[in-house]
Amino acid sequence: MLARLSRRSAAAAALGALLYGGLLGTPTAPAAASPAAVASPTVTVPPAGGHGFPFLAAAEDLGSFGYTESEYFISGTATSYAKSGLWTSDGRWNVRASGTAPYKSRLLVRRPADPAAFNGTVVVEWLNVSGQLDLSPDYWFERDELLRRGYAWVGVSAQAVGVNGGLGEIKGLKGWDPARYGSLVHPGDAFAYDIFSQAGQALRTPNGTDPLGGLPVRTLLADGESQSAGFMTTYVNAVQPVSGVYDGFMVHSNSAIASPISGVLADTLLMPNPSRIRTDLPVPTFVVLTETDVPGAASARQPDTDSVVHWELAGTAHGDQWAFDTGEPTVRKSAGSAAPSADCAAGSAPFNDGPGHWAMNAALRHLADWARGGARPPSGQPLSTVLRDPATGLATGGIRLPDVTVPTRTLTGSRDTTGSGVFCGLYGARDPWNGGADAWDRHDDGDPSDPSFPITPEPVLSRLYPTHADYVAKVRTAAQRSVDAGYLLPEDATAIVAAAQDSGIGG
């Protein structure tokens, strides 16, 4: 094994801490709680507005999948929370109500048009605002599983930046379409936690228009990626015990430090470091980390328990080609030229196109089953982003899907960001094995497969896979092993093998 620690690794760790950490007495057992403890907001239908469609409306034809999309406003009085007693790294955090304020926000709902196609599970995503507007990264990562299995998905504008605007060109929902969203009110991120609770309550017991059109909710899952995962960590540890709204949690790409309960950026310094997931809740939490995330989250590692499971995914990135390609048309439809951009330097390596979405599909199905009383998902090995295979440049350890066990390219969660924008580092990199023919194959920090001396040539595919049949057979075997281990869904294994068969790799 070869230890390769470069400035791109340090930059990725710093960038992760910035973007997916918290942004804008002795602990006791969690208080008994039930969904009834959370207010049920008023649900209304928004006006058509100037654009005639919601911000983040899907660009693809959801009807072709048997889905509908609609938007609703929720309004009421939100509660803010403050720490009660000492908060430590075990996540058993108590809170007290510290204030109230009126609010009005929105839900974006995608659900099966045919009630018979609904599987009973609603995934409620805390929309991400790192780009200074609402984005839905986990919808894009989990899209295939959501649409093929009959889930309902709800995006919640939980944070103030999404509603009121921040540093971006688009000044929030209110600035994007004043005629549609001008009546929205967000009192600040201290209230975001309860707004998210009330969003879930509106789906369980709607007060006014039913956002789910009468679909019976069996399982309500909360989901957050990146910055939203930092808020989700705090929600799990501090708010779920007193709200009881959600049946399970997906925490995707969080960092070692959770977001502050106050919603104030500076208060991140007052949060326990590391901030682990509490293990005494009656509902499950699934933490999924990519290669990009591990350097900034490793100090919060904890043993898996009956209520908390962690996966660390080899060959993946915080954002990747799949998420970009899936989400970009939707973001452009609403934001146009103001859409956030990775802004990677010209001539640098392309985005990671690894197996992150395959793993998220499996994680979502596991979480839904687990939350309904099914088996706990399998554990995974820890990932090392420092000890890498010297021949391939791939990370060691972690959950290893066929893209990594039968490799055809180097996949990393970090990249050289020299001359690039702030978001570029989140997309990792890929380096096709073509004899070092790419512009970035310079055996330096910008070369994903060989970022440091001594010079190591790229693997030769024809030597790894003497025939096409040999390559396909190895992919099929690796895919089946991943299915058997519980890290890959059978449907996705079929797609992976089909892609191998359609490729020209081997010989």
Side-chain angles (χ1 to χ4, degrees):
M1 299 301 175
L2 178 66
R4 292 171 166 173
L5 183 60
S6 60
R7 70 175 182 268
R8 74 180 185 191
S9 300
L15 182 61
L18 171 66
L19 292 178
Y20 55 83
L23 271 173
L24 299 174
T26 302
T28 60
S34 69
V38 173
S40 186
T42 300
V43 183
T44 56
V45 177
H51 291 280
F53 57 85
F55 188 85
L56 215 60
E60 67 181 337
D61 179 14
L62 290 174
S64 67
F65 298 93
Y67 270 68
T68 65
E69 179 179 71
S70 51
E71 185 181 53
Y72 302 89
F73 288 168
I74 56 172
S75 60
T77 300
T79 297
S80 60
Y81 299 100
K83 292 180 180 179
S84 177
L86 178 66
W87 284 21
T88 64
S89 288
D90 67 4
R92 300 187 182 195
W93 302 341
N94 292 331
V95 293
R96 57 179 175 81
S98 61
T100 60
Y103 82 93
K104 187 176 185 180
S105 191
R106 64 104 180 218
L107 310 177
L108 184 63
V109 180
R110 297 169 188 156
R111 60 178 175 83
D114 180 1
F118 177 51
N119 70 4
T121 298
V122 185
V123 176
V124 186
E125 182 168 356
W126 183 307
L127 295 178
N128 180 283
V129 296
S130 293
Q132 302 297 294
L133 43 75
D134 279 348
L135 298 173
S136 56
D138 262 4
Y139 175 84
W140 300 324
F141 275 111
E142 300 162 0
R143 169 193 169 277
D144 284 1
E145 174 68 2
L146 289 165
L147 298 183
R148 71 189 173 197
R149 295 284 288 193
Y151 295 82
W153 174 88
V154 178
V156 181
S157 294
Q159 288 183 248
V161 165
V163 174
N164 300 332
L167 300 177
E169 180 180 338
I170 294 175
K171 300 305 180 184
L173 297 173
K174 298 176 72 170
W176 182 72
D177 193 338
R180 187 181 187 99
Y181 297 119
S183 66
L184 298 188
V185 176
H186 199 299
D189 283 354
F191 299 89
Y193 299 99
D194 192 43
I195 291 172
F196 191 73
S197 294
Q198 292 193 32
Q201 189 76 317
L203 302 172
R204 288 193 184 275
T205 57
N207 177 15
T209 306
D210 185 350
L212 296 175
L215 297 179
V217 178
R218 180 183 178 192
T219 309
L220 200 62
L221 303 179
D223 191 338
E225 197 263 357
S226 189
Q227 182 189 150
S228 300
F231 280 88
M232 196 63 61
T233 301
T234 301
Y235 189 99
V236 170
N237 287 344
V239 181
Q240 174 68 12
V242 297
S243 71
V245 170
Y246 291 98
D247 300 313
F249 294 89
M250 182 73 76
V251 180
H252 181 197
S253 292
N254 64 336
S255 70
I257 307 175
S259 297
I261 192 70
S262 66
V264 177
L265 172 61
D267 288 347
T268 304
L269 298 174
L270 305 178
M271 293 296 290
N273 182 6
S275 301
R276 298 188 175 93
I277 302 294
R278 67 187 304 157
T279 59
D280 60 343
L281 291 183
V283 299
T285 300
F286 204 150
V287 179
V288 181
L289 301 176
T290 71
E291 273 194 36
T292 316
D293 312 319
V294 166
S299 64
R301 282 174 174 148
Q302 61 189 98
D304 287 351
T305 70
D306 289 341
S307 63
V308 181
V309 166
H310 293 72
W311 282 4
E312 298 180 4
L313 310 177
T316 62
H318 187 89
D320 65 10
Q321 193 72 58
W322 172 273
F324 180 85
D325 291 344
T326 304
E328 180 72 358
T330 289
V331 178
R332 291 285 177 183
K333 176 180 177 178
S334 290
S337 62
S341 172
D343 195 23
C344 293
S348 62
F351 295 164
N352 180 300
D353 65 349
H357 59 294
W358 304 127
M360 288 306 298
N361 287 341
L364 176 57
R365 192 177 299 181
H366 276 305
L367 179 60
D369 291 342
W370 192 16
R372 291 193 294 267
R376 195 201 78 173
S379 297
Q381 295 298 312
L383 175 73
S384 174
T385 60
V386 176
L387 293 175
R388 309 187 77 89
D389 179 356
T392 64
L394 293 166
T396 56
I399 289 173
R400 307 180 73 79
L401 295 183
D403 279 296
V404 175
T405 56
V406 190
T408 61
R409 63 215 184 279
T410 299
L411 296 166
T412 75
S414 61
R415 64 182 295 132
D416 180 21
T417 56
T418 303
S420 299
V422 67
F423 291 111
C424 178
L426 298 178
Y427 286 87
R430 71 179 184 269
D431 190 358
W433 295 340
N434 52 16
D438 299 307
W440 53 86
D441 287 325
R442 301 184 300 268
H443 309 288
D444 61 13
D445 220 40
D447 184 348
S449 63
D450 190 31
S452 60
F453 284 90
I455 293 175
T456 303
E458 293 177 349
V460 179
L461 290 177
S462 62
R463 294 176 186 170
L464 290 175
Y465 315 112
T467 67
H468 180 64
D470 174 65
Y471 171 67
V472 173
K474 287 178 178 177
V475 170
R476 181 179 286 109
T477 298
Q480 188 57 54
R481 286 176 179 166
S482 294
V483 170
D484 293 343
Y487 303 136
L488 183 66
L489 297 177
E491 305 96 306
D492 294 335
T494 298
I496 289 170
V497 172
Q501 291 171 328
D502 291 341
S503 76
I505 296 172

